[in-house]
Amino acid sequence: MNFTRWSARLPGTQRRAAARDDRSPVPAARAEYAQPQAAAALPDGALQVPPAPAPDPAAPGPALDDLSAREILGRLPAAVALLHGPDHRVAYVNEAYETAFGPRSSGVPAAEALPELAELSVLPLLDQVLRSGTARTVKSRRTAGGGSYTVTCTPVAPWTGAEDKGDEKAGEKAGEKDKETRGEGGVLVYAADVTDHAEAAERLRTSERRHRETAVTLQRSLLPQELEQPDDLRIAATYQPGGTDAAVGGDWYDVITLGAGRTALVIGDVMGRGVRAAAVMGQLRTAVRAYARLDLPPHEVIQLLDGLASEIDASQIATCVYAVHDPNEGQLVYASAGHLPMLVRDEDGTVSRAADPTGPPLGTGGWVHTSGTIALPPGSTAVLYTDGLVERRSEDIDEGVASLARALSGAKGSPQVVCDRLIRSLGVTAEHDDDVAVLVVQHPARTGPNAELFHNAALDLLGGMEATPRARAFATGVLTSWRFPVELRDLGVLAASELVANSLQHGTPPMRLGLRRTDRRLIIEVTDGDDHLPRRRQAEPADEAGRGIEIIASIATSWGSRRTPGGGKAVWCEFALPR
């Protein structure tokens, strides 16, 4: 703002210019210019002059050219301070400024006379504005008094002092200290009160923060509070919500032990934001755990979830991967509904990507899902993740997956260490713009004494009456060689005998008896070629059969059954080992 451009228009200057141009004598008295007024006669003969008419509100006010710079600044509703010189001495503050911050003395440096400028973070800008000649603005800063202001600092041209010539009242008000600032450039400080706006914005931010905290709390409460740790796998997971400017999504994961040493791994992402997405995620996670108890193949679980997702909310699309690990097979059997591919790192550092099949996201319907497999040998590490880990606005998502594969190839250590390293390598911070969920699964290679705690043994049964005695003798020899206590060995032999007898009566060849020992449990499993699953029932006293499963349920820690891919079934039971 050029403060001196108003000097030619100041009233004092105009009066002197008019005096130079008008050579007529100056009137002796103001009465010579008074307009004659009609007089009214009173009853006693006296004359009364009527009062002057009231000013017309509609009459135009003084023109802008008729106002001095001080009058213009004084009439502004915003607080205005004029500073001059390299030490920013106070030359002028208007009435609004004094109303907001109190009276201020002229000629004193702003650092001493205007402490509110320090509270508003304006003082450091004064030198920059004066030096560069460029205006600067500080938005919505709060003072100690509780008010909020947006302050603009504008450079002004050197002050010549002509502003006060002919204007004696203004000159008296400025005082002699103003003379020290003449001929120096300055800064005009314009402070607009935005307290109401700032308070409204703060209320909005508080509301959004509470909404986000609610969504995050709901999200975390629906995720597993503690991951299940299977005997044959080591697992860790990490969930990180997006930054404060990002709405919480529906990323989720879970680990479910299925029995007989098998483990289900699941990770998914609801394509939405906020509390609704978290609620849908919670319903899907609960449904997955229910379907997993049926011990169905992965593609059948995904098929069931697909129908459920459309019933929950047709507008909420979700992606999901469901995988099952069987320690006897050394691989992951999985099905994917529109989710990113799993990555598996071998012991030598080679990274493999799970190939198709991948169907559309959950809730779309009309698709028949199928299962695929990927090897997970001892010493390997599998990573399941959501798109927040690899998706970036500036690159294709395949490039993000490739970056993750490179980071995984060099990631060693425990599953939690691998999780943290992948998060860092992909540049995920607390201000990341999307939720991130990572599930790391390691199949450790066991050597030395630790390997002695894990054993497998199997016997093929051809059927016939001799199958049960052979199974009993085999189980006795194996459990004795594994040095189980006598009581646990006898229970194991009884369970193997009952399972084989049940398979002989209700199943079809081929039949197989399997025994597996881990560091935590003994697992006994019998498979056959019939797909009718047994059920537990209460046998009547006169019944000659129907007690086998009841005996198994009574003596074992847990039991279950499932259909096998070849069209048969597997019936199993577990015994927890003493610690």
Side-chain angles (χ1 to χ4, degrees), residues 283-513:
Q283 295 177 76
L284 290 178
R285 176 175 176 258
T286 301
V288 168
R289 294 194 71 89
Y291 295 148
R293 299 306 177 191
L294 301 176
D295 215 339
L296 299 172
H299 66 275
E300 293 189 22
V301 173
I302 292 295
Q303 203 77 49
L304 291 172
L305 283 177
D306 186 32
L308 179 64
S310 60
E311 294 176 6
I312 293 175
D313 189 343
S315 65
Q316 294 279 5
I317 305 300
T319 64
C320 180
V321 170
Y322 182 86
V324 175
H325 174 258
D326 190 330
N328 296 319
E329 299 176 357
Q331 64 182 10
L332 287 173
V333 182
Y334 68 93
S336 175
H339 204 79
L340 294 169
M342 292 185 296
L343 300 179
V344 176
R345 177 190 181 275
D346 293 336
E347 196 169 11
D348 61 358
T350 303
V351 177
S352 303
R353 181 185 300 192
D356 290 338
T358 297
L362 300 175
T364 55
W367 183 268
V368 178
H369 294 271
T370 57
S371 295
T373 60
I374 185 171
L376 189 69
S380 60
T381 300
V383 176
L384 294 79
Y385 52 96
T386 57
D387 57 0
L389 181 65
V390 297
E391 189 174 28
R392 302 293 183 270
R393 300 179 186 273
S394 59
E395 63 183 22
D396 187 80
I397 194 169
D398 288 336
E399 297 179 9
V401 175
S403 299
L404 176 60
R406 289 191 295 270
L408 178 60
S409 65
K412 297 181 180 179
S414 67
Q416 189 59 58
V417 170
V418 174
C419 268
D420 297 339
R421 181 167 181 177
L422 295 180
I423 291 289
R424 292 194 304 270
S425 299
L426 273 295
V428 177
T429 65
E431 301 304 321
H432 196 58
D433 60 357
D434 195 6
D435 290 15
V436 174
V438 183
L439 184 65
V440 174
V441 181
Q442 288 184 346
H443 186 187
R446 296 180 174 87
T447 58
N450 189 35
E452 295 298 321
L453 300 177
F454 292 81
H455 294 284
N456 285 282
L459 174 67
D460 291 324
L461 301 172
L462 301 178
M465 297 300 297
E466 73 280 1
T468 300
R470 286 187 59 204
R472 187 181 299 112
F474 175 77
T476 300
V478 169
L479 298 181
T480 300
S481 68
W482 288 352
R483 300 178 183 179
F484 281 146
V486 175
E487 180 180 359
L488 180 59
R489 183 189 63 193
D490 293 343
L491 290 175
V493 171
L494 176 59
S497 176
E498 291 295 334
L499 289 178
V500 170
N502 183 77
S503 181
L504 288 172
Q505 183 173 359
H506 302 287
T508 59
M511 291 179 288
R512 182 182 178 89
L513 169 64

Side-chain angles (χ1 to χ4, degrees), residues 72-153:
I72 293 175
L73 297 179
R75 295 188 181 191
L76 292 178
V80 175
L82 181 61
L83 313 177
H84 272 280
D87 55 352
H88 312 295
R89 293 184 300 278
V90 179
Y92 170 78
V93 294
N94 68 351
E95 183 178 350
Y97 195 102
E98 293 182 343
T99 301
F101 304 109
R104 294 295 183 260
S105 301
S106 299
V108 182
E112 302 176 11
L114 309 179
E116 58 276 0
L117 297 187
E119 298 174 7
L120 296 171
S121 303
V122 173
L123 285 180
L125 299 180
L126 298 179
D127 288 336
Q128 301 178 23
V129 172
L130 188 62
R131 183 172 54 253
S132 65
T134 303
R136 300 290 298 273
T137 298
V138 175
K139 295 185 178 180
S140 190
R141 295 295 176 87
R142 185 181 296 273
T143 64
S148 296
Y149 294 85
T150 293
V151 184
T152 299
C153 298

Side-chain angles (χ1 to χ4, degrees), residues 5 10 13 66 166 183 215 306 341 355 498-499 507 575 577:
R5 71 188 183 92
L10 294 176
T13 305
D66 296 335
D306 186 32
E498 291 295 334
L499 289 178
F575 293 89
L577 300 184

